[in-house]
Amino acid sequence: MSYSVGQVSAFAKVTVRTLHHYDRAGLLSPSERTPAGYRLYGDADLARLQQILFYRELGFPLDEIAAILSGSQADALEHLQARQRQLAEEIARLRRLAEVAGRAVEVQRTGARLTPEERFEVFGEITFDLSYATEAELRWAGPAGRSEAVARAAAHTKEDWRRLMGEAAAWRAELLAAFDEGEPSGGERAMDLAEEHRLHTARWFTSCPPGRHRRVADDFVAEPRAFALVVPPSQQRPGLAAWTRAAVHANADRRTGPAGTGEPR
């Protein structure tokens, strides 16, 4: 039996654009065509799509998926074992991050100050990023916004931090998937991701109207520490910061019009 692109998109829960991208990339080319030239997917194509989606869910980039599917079963096992180790390390890192965030909240509540050595011990490799969040990025909100952000962060419970970081990790995975799949920065998917980031900032820290979000995103390209708050260096790709900035600007334009600020100047 054969299925159209629209049918496959519906039951596989992937966009038509993604299926077209897989086709252009040579990862999944439909084995049949209608007399009018429209794509048709057969059972073997659907089985291959299931494999692709499985590996995408595990976080594999498309070029690595292509290598896995064209290799032997032993090669696939090796890739999966390597990814399993990476995921285990990432889970451990996120658990530790949730724990140290909770410790930091408790320190703030008691009014205690951390020395540079203690900050490094508590936050490890993310010390620099956290310092930037308080000393630079929040400048876009002004003194009142900064006070609000600091106060709200200090009031977060350990469960709040777990939820916050869980949301951020899920959003980041979607961001990386969209970029890796060649989505345009001005497309609906990219703009929706930008809007999710804006709402996340407003929900957990301080209000972030589109104009302010636009200026914050400018730092993604100008200041590496700013983008490290969104995507850690180990997960960044060449061009990703500029792509994310462009998506934020496109979303701001969508909501306020070109060159709109979304807030009084």
Side-chain angles (χ1 to χ4, degrees), residues 74-99:
D75 290 337
L77 179 60
E78 185 178 340
H79 282 276
L80 285 170
Q81 289 174 331
R83 184 58 180 155
Q84 182 183 34
R85 290 191 294 270
Q86 293 171 356
L87 288 171
E89 292 170 0
E90 179 68 6
I91 290 170
R93 188 188 70 82
L94 288 173
R95 284 176 175 165
R96 176 178 176 275
L97 187 61
E99 291 173 0

PDB file of all heavy atoms in Angstrom, residues 74-99:
ATOM      1  N   ALA A  74      26.334  -3.993  13.495  1.00  0.00           N
ATOM      2  CA  ALA A  74      27.373  -3.757  14.502  1.00  0.00           C
ATOM      3  C   ALA A  74      27.682  -2.273  14.619  1.00  0.00           C
ATOM      4  O   ALA A  74      27.897  -1.749  15.714  1.00  0.00           O
ATOM      5  CB  ALA A  74      28.641  -4.536  14.134  1.00  0.00           C
ATOM      6  N   ASP A  75      27.707  -1.571  13.474  1.00  0.00           N
ATOM      7  CA  ASP A  75      27.941  -0.128  13.497  1.00  0.00           C
ATOM      8  C   ASP A  75      26.813   0.585  14.234  1.00  0.00           C
ATOM      9  O   ASP A  75      27.049   1.508  15.024  1.00  0.00           O
ATOM     10  CB  ASP A  75      28.037   0.419  12.075  1.00  0.00           C
ATOM     11  CG  ASP A  75      29.304  -0.028  11.362  1.00  0.00           C
ATOM     12  OD1 ASP A  75      30.283  -0.361  12.060  1.00  0.00           O
ATOM     13  OD2 ASP A  75      29.315  -0.050  10.120  1.00  0.00           O
ATOM     14  N   ALA A  76      25.566   0.172  13.965  1.00  0.00           N
ATOM     15  CA  ALA A  76      24.424   0.783  14.633  1.00  0.00           C
ATOM     16  C   ALA A  76      24.507   0.575  16.142  1.00  0.00           C
ATOM     17  O   ALA A  76      24.245   1.501  16.930  1.00  0.00           O
ATOM     18  CB  ALA A  76      23.120   0.192  14.091  1.00  0.00           C
ATOM     19  N   LEU A  77      24.901  -0.620  16.559  1.00  0.00           N
ATOM     20  CA  LEU A  77      25.032  -0.909  17.988  1.00  0.00           C
ATOM     21  C   LEU A  77      26.089  -0.018  18.620  1.00  0.00           C
ATOM     22  O   LEU A  77      25.894   0.514  19.725  1.00  0.00           O
ATOM     23  CB  LEU A  77      25.386  -2.383  18.183  1.00  0.00           C
ATOM     24  CG  LEU A  77      25.580  -2.833  19.638  1.00  0.00           C
ATOM     25  CD1 LEU A  77      24.314  -2.610  20.438  1.00  0.00           C
ATOM     26  CD2 LEU A  77      26.006  -4.297  19.672  1.00  0.00           C
ATOM     27  N   GLU A  78      27.190   0.184  17.928  1.00  0.00           N
ATOM     28  CA  GLU A  78      28.255   1.037  18.451  1.00  0.00           C
ATOM     29  C   GLU A  78      27.770   2.468  18.633  1.00  0.00           C
ATOM     30  O   GLU A  78      28.048   3.107  19.654  1.00  0.00           O
ATOM     31  CB  GLU A  78      29.449   0.997  17.498  1.00  0.00           C
ATOM     32  CG  GLU A  78      30.654   1.767  18.011  1.00  0.00           C
ATOM     33  CD  GLU A  78      31.846   1.661  17.069  1.00  0.00           C
ATOM     34  OE1 GLU A  78      31.866   0.724  16.245  1.00  0.00           O
ATOM     35  OE2 GLU A  78      32.750   2.513  17.157  1.00  0.00           O
ATOM     36  N   HIS A  79      27.029   2.985  17.651  1.00  0.00           N
ATOM     37  CA  HIS A  79      26.475   4.343  17.755  1.00  0.00           C
ATOM     38  C   HIS A  79      25.505   4.447  18.929  1.00  0.00           C
ATOM     39  O   HIS A  79      25.517   5.430  19.679  1.00  0.00           O
ATOM     40  CB  HIS A  79      25.759   4.714  16.460  1.00  0.00           C
ATOM     41  CG  HIS A  79      26.674   5.112  15.338  1.00  0.00           C
ATOM     42  ND1 HIS A  79      27.168   6.396  15.200  1.00  0.00           N
ATOM     43  CD2 HIS A  79      27.178   4.408  14.300  1.00  0.00           C
ATOM     44  CE1 HIS A  79      27.931   6.458  14.117  1.00  0.00           C
ATOM     45  NE2 HIS A  79      27.954   5.269  13.555  1.00  0.00           N
ATOM     46  N   LEU A  80      24.653   3.434  19.084  1.00  0.00           N
ATOM     47  CA  LEU A  80      23.669   3.465  20.157  1.00  0.00           C
ATOM     48  C   LEU A  80      24.334   3.402  21.532  1.00  0.00           C
ATOM     49  O   LEU A  80      23.914   4.087  22.467  1.00  0.00           O
ATOM     50  CB  LEU A  80      22.690   2.298  19.997  1.00  0.00           C
ATOM     51  CG  LEU A  80      21.644   2.451  18.893  1.00  0.00           C
ATOM     52  CD1 LEU A  80      20.908   1.142  18.673  1.00  0.00           C
ATOM     53  CD2 LEU A  80      20.658   3.567  19.245  1.00  0.00           C
ATOM     54  N   GLN A  81      25.357   2.599  21.652  1.00  0.00           N
ATOM     55  CA  GLN A  81      26.058   2.502  22.936  1.00  0.00           C
ATOM     56  C   GLN A  81      26.736   3.817  23.290  1.00  0.00           C
ATOM     57  O   GLN A  81      26.716   4.246  24.453  1.00  0.00           O
ATOM     58  CB  GLN A  81      27.077   1.366  22.879  1.00  0.00           C
ATOM     59  CG  GLN A  81      26.448  -0.023  22.872  1.00  0.00           C
ATOM     60  CD  GLN A  81      27.469  -1.125  22.662  1.00  0.00           C
ATOM     61  OE1 GLN A  81      28.510  -0.923  22.022  1.00  0.00           O
ATOM     62  NE2 GLN A  81      27.176  -2.308  23.174  1.00  0.00           N
ATOM     63  N   ALA A  82      27.314   4.467  22.280  1.00  0.00           N
ATOM     64  CA  ALA A  82      27.956   5.764  22.517  1.00  0.00           C
ATOM     65  C   ALA A  82      26.921   6.798  22.942  1.00  0.00           C
ATOM     66  O   ALA A  82      27.153   7.601  23.860  1.00  0.00           O
ATOM     67  CB  ALA A  82      28.691   6.228  21.259  1.00  0.00           C
ATOM     68  N   ARG A  83      25.757   6.780  22.266  1.00  0.00           N
ATOM     69  CA  ARG A  83      24.703   7.734  22.619  1.00  0.00           C
ATOM     70  C   ARG A  83      24.149   7.458  23.998  1.00  0.00           C
ATOM     71  O   ARG A  83      23.815   8.384  24.751  1.00  0.00           O
ATOM     72  CB  ARG A  83      23.581   7.665  21.577  1.00  0.00           C
ATOM     73  CG  ARG A  83      22.475   8.697  21.794  1.00  0.00           C
ATOM     74  CD  ARG A  83      23.020  10.098  21.778  1.00  0.00           C
ATOM     75  NE  ARG A  83      21.975  11.073  21.990  1.00  0.00           N
ATOM     76  CZ  ARG A  83      22.190  12.282  22.480  1.00  0.00           C
ATOM     77  NH1 ARG A  83      23.424  12.663  22.812  1.00  0.00           N
ATOM     78  NH2 ARG A  83      21.196  13.131  22.652  1.00  0.00           N
ATOM     79  N   GLN A  84      24.036   6.190  24.369  1.00  0.00           N
ATOM     80  CA  GLN A  84      23.563   5.832  25.704  1.00  0.00           C
ATOM     81  C   GLN A  84      24.480   6.418  26.765  1.00  0.00           C
ATOM     82  O   GLN A  84      24.023   6.952  27.783  1.00  0.00           O
ATOM     83  CB  GLN A  84      23.494   4.308  25.839  1.00  0.00           C
ATOM     84  CG  GLN A  84      22.950   3.844  27.190  1.00  0.00           C
ATOM     85  CD  GLN A  84      22.971   2.340  27.327  1.00  0.00           C
ATOM     86  OE1 GLN A  84      23.863   1.677  26.815  1.00  0.00           O
ATOM     87  NE2 GLN A  84      21.983   1.785  27.999  1.00  0.00           N
ATOM     88  N   ARG A  85      25.779   6.333  26.525  1.00  0.00           N
ATOM     89  CA  ARG A  85      26.732   6.908  27.486  1.00  0.00           C
ATOM     90  C   ARG A  85      26.569   8.431  27.570  1.00  0.00           C
ATOM     91  O   ARG A  85      26.608   9.004  28.657  1.00  0.00           O
ATOM     92  CB  ARG A  85      28.166   6.541  27.086  1.00  0.00           C
ATOM     93  CG  ARG A  85      28.506   5.066  27.264  1.00  0.00           C
ATOM     94  CD  ARG A  85      29.997   4.822  27.117  1.00  0.00           C
ATOM     95  NE  ARG A  85      30.463   5.098  25.755  1.00  0.00           N
ATOM     96  CZ  ARG A  85      30.501   4.186  24.784  1.00  0.00           C
ATOM     97  NH1 ARG A  85      30.076   2.941  25.028  1.00  0.00           N
ATOM     98  NH2 ARG A  85      30.947   4.491  23.585  1.00  0.00           N
ATOM     99  N   GLN A  86      26.389   9.083  26.412  1.00  0.00           N
ATOM    100  CA  GLN A  86      26.216  10.531  26.400  1.00  0.00           C
ATOM    101  C   GLN A  86      24.954  10.952  27.152  1.00  0.00           C
ATOM    102  O   GLN A  86      24.969  11.923  27.917  1.00  0.00           O
ATOM    103  CB  GLN A  86      26.148  11.035  24.963  1.00  0.00           C
ATOM    104  CG  GLN A  86      27.452  10.896  24.185  1.00  0.00           C
ATOM    105  CD  GLN A  86      27.268  11.201  22.705  1.00  0.00           C
ATOM    106  OE1 GLN A  86      26.154  11.445  22.239  1.00  0.00           O
ATOM    107  NE2 GLN A  86      28.353  11.170  21.957  1.00  0.00           N
ATOM    108  N   LEU A  87      23.866  10.209  26.936  1.00  0.00           N
ATOM    109  CA  LEU A  87      22.611  10.538  27.609  1.00  0.00           C
ATOM    110  C   LEU A  87      22.730  10.341  29.119  1.00  0.00           C
ATOM    111  O   LEU A  87      22.202  11.142  29.907  1.00  0.00           O
ATOM    112  CB  LEU A  87      21.477   9.681  27.049  1.00  0.00           C
ATOM    113  CG  LEU A  87      21.020  10.032  25.634  1.00  0.00           C
ATOM    114  CD1 LEU A  87      20.049   8.976  25.114  1.00  0.00           C
ATOM    115  CD2 LEU A  87      20.379  11.405  25.581  1.00  0.00           C
ATOM    116  N   ALA A  88      23.412   9.286  29.521  1.00  0.00           N
ATOM    117  CA  ALA A  88      23.606   9.042  30.953  1.00  0.00           C
ATOM    118  C   ALA A  88      24.395  10.179  31.588  1.00  0.00           C
ATOM    119  O   ALA A  88      24.087  10.637  32.700  1.00  0.00           O
ATOM    120  CB  ALA A  88      24.326   7.710  31.162  1.00  0.00           C
ATOM    121  N   GLU A  89      25.409  10.658  30.864  1.00  0.00           N
ATOM    122  CA  GLU A  89      26.200  11.781  31.371  1.00  0.00           C
ATOM    123  C   GLU A  89      25.369  13.052  31.448  1.00  0.00           C
ATOM    124  O   GLU A  89      25.477  13.827  32.400  1.00  0.00           O
ATOM    125  CB  GLU A  89      27.420  11.998  30.476  1.00  0.00           C
ATOM    126  CG  GLU A  89      28.453  10.875  30.552  1.00  0.00           C
ATOM    127  CD  GLU A  89      29.533  11.004  29.486  1.00  0.00           C
ATOM    128  OE1 GLU A  89      29.473  11.972  28.691  1.00  0.00           O
ATOM    129  OE2 GLU A  89      30.434  10.146  29.454  1.00  0.00           O
ATOM    130  N   GLU A  90      24.520  13.278  30.430  1.00  0.00           N
ATOM    131  CA  GLU A  90      23.673  14.470  30.424  1.00  0.00           C
ATOM    132  C   GLU A  90      22.640  14.421  31.542  1.00  0.00           C
ATOM    133  O   GLU A  90      22.364  15.436  32.201  1.00  0.00           O
ATOM    134  CB  GLU A  90      22.973  14.604  29.067  1.00  0.00           C
ATOM    135  CG  GLU A  90      22.044  15.794  28.944  1.00  0.00           C
ATOM    136  CD  GLU A  90      22.757  17.128  28.957  1.00  0.00           C
ATOM    137  OE1 GLU A  90      24.019  17.148  28.953  1.00  0.00           O
ATOM    138  OE2 GLU A  90      22.065  18.156  28.971  1.00  0.00           O
ATOM    139  N   ILE A  91      22.057  13.242  31.788  1.00  0.00           N
ATOM    140  CA  ILE A  91      21.096  13.094  32.883  1.00  0.00           C
ATOM    141  C   ILE A  91      21.772  13.391  34.217  1.00  0.00           C
ATOM    142  O   ILE A  91      21.219  14.107  35.065  1.00  0.00           O
ATOM    143  CB  ILE A  91      20.497  11.676  32.876  1.00  0.00           C
ATOM    144  CG1 ILE A  91      19.566  11.509  31.667  1.00  0.00           C
ATOM    145  CG2 ILE A  91      19.738  11.393  34.174  1.00  0.00           C
ATOM    146  CD1 ILE A  91      19.119  10.084  31.421  1.00  0.00           C
ATOM    147  N   ALA A  92      22.970  12.861  34.396  1.00  0.00           N
ATOM    148  CA  ALA A  92      23.703  13.101  35.636  1.00  0.00           C
ATOM    149  C   ALA A  92      24.015  14.587  35.795  1.00  0.00           C
ATOM    150  O   ALA A  92      23.919  15.149  36.894  1.00  0.00           O
ATOM    151  CB  ALA A  92      24.996  12.282  35.648  1.00  0.00           C
ATOM    152  N   ARG A  93      24.385  15.253  34.667  1.00  0.00           N
ATOM    153  CA  ARG A  93      24.699  16.679  34.725  1.00  0.00           C
ATOM    154  C   ARG A  93      23.473  17.496  35.106  1.00  0.00           C
ATOM    155  O   ARG A  93      23.541  18.402  35.934  1.00  0.00           O
ATOM    156  CB  ARG A  93      25.240  17.148  33.378  1.00  0.00           C
ATOM    157  CG  ARG A  93      25.783  18.575  33.379  1.00  0.00           C
ATOM    158  CD  ARG A  93      26.129  19.046  31.985  1.00  0.00           C
ATOM    159  NE  ARG A  93      24.920  19.257  31.186  1.00  0.00           N
ATOM    160  CZ  ARG A  93      24.179  20.357  31.247  1.00  0.00           C
ATOM    161  NH1 ARG A  93      24.514  21.338  32.078  1.00  0.00           N
ATOM    162  NH2 ARG A  93      23.117  20.482  30.490  1.00  0.00           N
ATOM    163  N   LEU A  94      22.306  17.165  34.513  1.00  0.00           N
ATOM    164  CA  LEU A  94      21.083  17.904  34.816  1.00  0.00           C
ATOM    165  C   LEU A  94      20.634  17.687  36.261  1.00  0.00           C
ATOM    166  O   LEU A  94      20.158  18.612  36.919  1.00  0.00           O
ATOM    167  CB  LEU A  94      19.973  17.494  33.846  1.00  0.00           C
ATOM    168  CG  LEU A  94      20.135  17.996  32.407  1.00  0.00           C
ATOM    169  CD1 LEU A  94      19.066  17.373  31.514  1.00  0.00           C
ATOM    170  CD2 LEU A  94      20.059  19.512  32.344  1.00  0.00           C
ATOM    171  N   ARG A  95      20.804  16.461  36.749  1.00  0.00           N
ATOM    172  CA  ARG A  95      20.457  16.208  38.153  1.00  0.00           C
ATOM    173  C   ARG A  95      21.350  17.025  39.079  1.00  0.00           C
ATOM    174  O   ARG A  95      20.882  17.617  40.057  1.00  0.00           O
ATOM    175  CB  ARG A  95      20.601  14.718  38.457  1.00  0.00           C
ATOM    176  CG  ARG A  95      19.450  13.875  37.906  1.00  0.00           C
ATOM    177  CD  ARG A  95      19.677  12.406  38.152  1.00  0.00           C
ATOM    178  NE  ARG A  95      18.527  11.610  37.730  1.00  0.00           N
ATOM    179  CZ  ARG A  95      18.537  10.304  37.563  1.00  0.00           C
ATOM    180  NH1 ARG A  95      19.660   9.623  37.788  1.00  0.00           N
ATOM    181  NH2 ARG A  95      17.443   9.662  37.187  1.00  0.00           N
ATOM    182  N   ARG A  96      22.626  17.081  38.741  1.00  0.00           N
ATOM    183  CA  ARG A  96      23.549  17.860  39.553  1.00  0.00           C
ATOM    184  C   ARG A  96      23.198  19.344  39.462  1.00  0.00           C
ATOM    185  O   ARG A  96      23.243  20.066  40.462  1.00  0.00           O
ATOM    186  CB  ARG A  96      24.993  17.639  39.084  1.00  0.00           C
ATOM    187  CG  ARG A  96      26.011  18.487  39.829  1.00  0.00           C
ATOM    188  CD  ARG A  96      27.438  18.199  39.378  1.00  0.00           C
ATOM    189  NE  ARG A  96      28.358  19.093  40.033  1.00  0.00           N
ATOM    190  CZ  ARG A  96      28.653  20.316  39.611  1.00  0.00           C
ATOM    191  NH1 ARG A  96      28.070  20.771  38.506  1.00  0.00           N
ATOM    192  NH2 ARG A  96      29.486  21.078  40.273  1.00  0.00           N
ATOM    193  N   LEU A  97      22.823  19.793  38.278  1.00  0.00           N
ATOM    194  CA  LEU A  97      22.464  21.196  38.098  1.00  0.00           C
ATOM    195  C   LEU A  97      21.249  21.551  38.945  1.00  0.00           C
ATOM    196  O   LEU A  97      21.205  22.620  39.572  1.00  0.00           O
ATOM    197  CB  LEU A  97      22.167  21.460  36.618  1.00  0.00           C
ATOM    198  CG  LEU A  97      21.939  22.909  36.211  1.00  0.00           C
ATOM    199  CD1 LEU A  97      23.156  23.758  36.503  1.00  0.00           C
ATOM    200  CD2 LEU A  97      21.589  22.993  34.739  1.00  0.00           C
ATOM    201  N   ALA A  98      20.250  20.675  38.979  1.00  0.00           N
ATOM    202  CA  ALA A  98      19.075  20.922  39.808  1.00  0.00           C
ATOM    203  C   ALA A  98      19.450  20.989  41.285  1.00  0.00           C
ATOM    204  O   ALA A  98      18.944  21.830  42.038  1.00  0.00           O
ATOM    205  CB  ALA A  98      18.028  19.836  39.574  1.00  0.00           C
ATOM    206  N   GLU A  99      20.365  20.123  41.682  1.00  0.00           N
ATOM    207  CA  GLU A  99      20.792  20.106  43.082  1.00  0.00           C
ATOM    208  C   GLU A  99      21.539  21.376  43.460  1.00  0.00           C
ATOM    209  O   GLU A  99      21.271  21.990  44.492  1.00  0.00           O
ATOM    210  CB  GLU A  99      21.666  18.886  43.336  1.00  0.00           C
ATOM    211  CG  GLU A  99      20.906  17.565  43.276  1.00  0.00           C
ATOM    212  CD  GLU A  99      21.840  16.369  43.367  1.00  0.00           C
ATOM    213  OE1 GLU A  99      23.072  16.589  43.485  1.00  0.00           O
ATOM    214  OE2 GLU A  99      21.348  15.224  43.309  1.00  0.00           O
TER     215      GLU A  99
END
